[in-house]
Amino acid sequence: MIRDDIKAAQIAAMKAGEKDRLAAVRLILAKLKDRDIELRTQSAPADDDAVVVEVLQKMVKQRRESISLYEQGSRQELADVEKAELAVIETFLPAQMSEADTSAAIEAIKAELGASSVKDMGRVMATLKERHGTQLDMSKASALVKAALS
């Protein structure tokens, strides 16, 4: 499980004295704990790996936005910190599908559902997320689905 890998990385970073990596791993664990607390109030617990991947993808998106804003504001030192955190977070994410694989999956789903226009985008996106949600950046996939249905 991904959560176990993150905990093992925390221990390894402590033993190796890697302060920056340890800080990033602790940040990930804190976000996961926050998400676990949110899920306590819901009736059906979700798949643990799916929850972890969702949290990690959200953190990656936040880091990328921060990096771009810091670079626009000429704050390279802050952008470098965010880039270092981003690198640590991405090590725990499952391998992402390539653009060619994503397009192939979209075409298969499109043919399966009989989708032909942009009106069917919601159904295609829902099926794509259900089958490949942990392996895709859904914002990029959305653009590919829209292009495929246009």
Side-chain angles (χ1 to χ4, degrees):
M1 286 186 6
I2 299 171
R3 194 180 296 257
D4 295 335
D5 294 341
I6 295 170
K7 289 178 183 175
Q10 179 186 22
I11 293 168
M14 277 191 251
K15 288 181 179 178
E18 300 171 330
K19 291 181 181 180
D20 293 336
R21 182 171 174 81
L22 179 60
V25 171
R26 283 182 173 159
L27 186 65
I28 293 169
L29 289 170
K31 290 289 186 186
L32 287 173
K33 190 160 198 89
D34 289 345
R35 185 71 175 134
D36 290 343
I37 291 168
E38 287 175 23
L39 290 176
R40 284 185 196 164
T41 60
Q42 295 179 355
S43 57
D47 175 36
D48 187 52
D49 276 351
V51 171
V52 172
V53 169
E54 177 186 326
V55 169
L56 292 175
Q57 286 176 335
K58 186 174 181 180
M59 291 177 74
V60 165
K61 181 180 177 187
Q62 289 171 339
R63 296 302 172 286
R64 287 191 176 133
E65 289 172 357
S66 296
I67 289 167
S68 110
L69 290 174
Y70 287 143
E71 287 175 346
Q72 288 174 5
S74 300
R75 297 295 309 263
Q76 193 58 43
E77 68 282 359
L78 294 175
D80 291 342
V81 170
E82 293 290 326
K83 285 178 184 175
E85 286 180 4
L86 178 63
V88 172
I89 294 166
E90 285 179 335
T91 61
F92 299 110
L93 280 172
Q96 299 291 299
M97 290 175 69
S98 68
E99 192 168 325
D101 292 340
T102 303
S103 295
I106 290 169
E107 289 301 321
I109 291 169
K110 185 176 144 184
E112 180 184 321
L113 297 176
S116 59
S117 70
V118 180
K119 291 179 184 177
D120 300 318
M121 186 170 173
R123 292 188 311 140
V124 173
M125 286 297 295
T127 306
L128 187 65
K129 185 172 184 175
E130 177 185 313
R131 294 183 188 169
H132 306 287
T134 61
Q135 302 167 333
L136 289 175
D137 179 359
M138 293 310 287
S139 61
K140 291 178 184 175
S142 175
L144 292 173
V145 169
K146 191 171 189 177
L149 293 174
S150 295

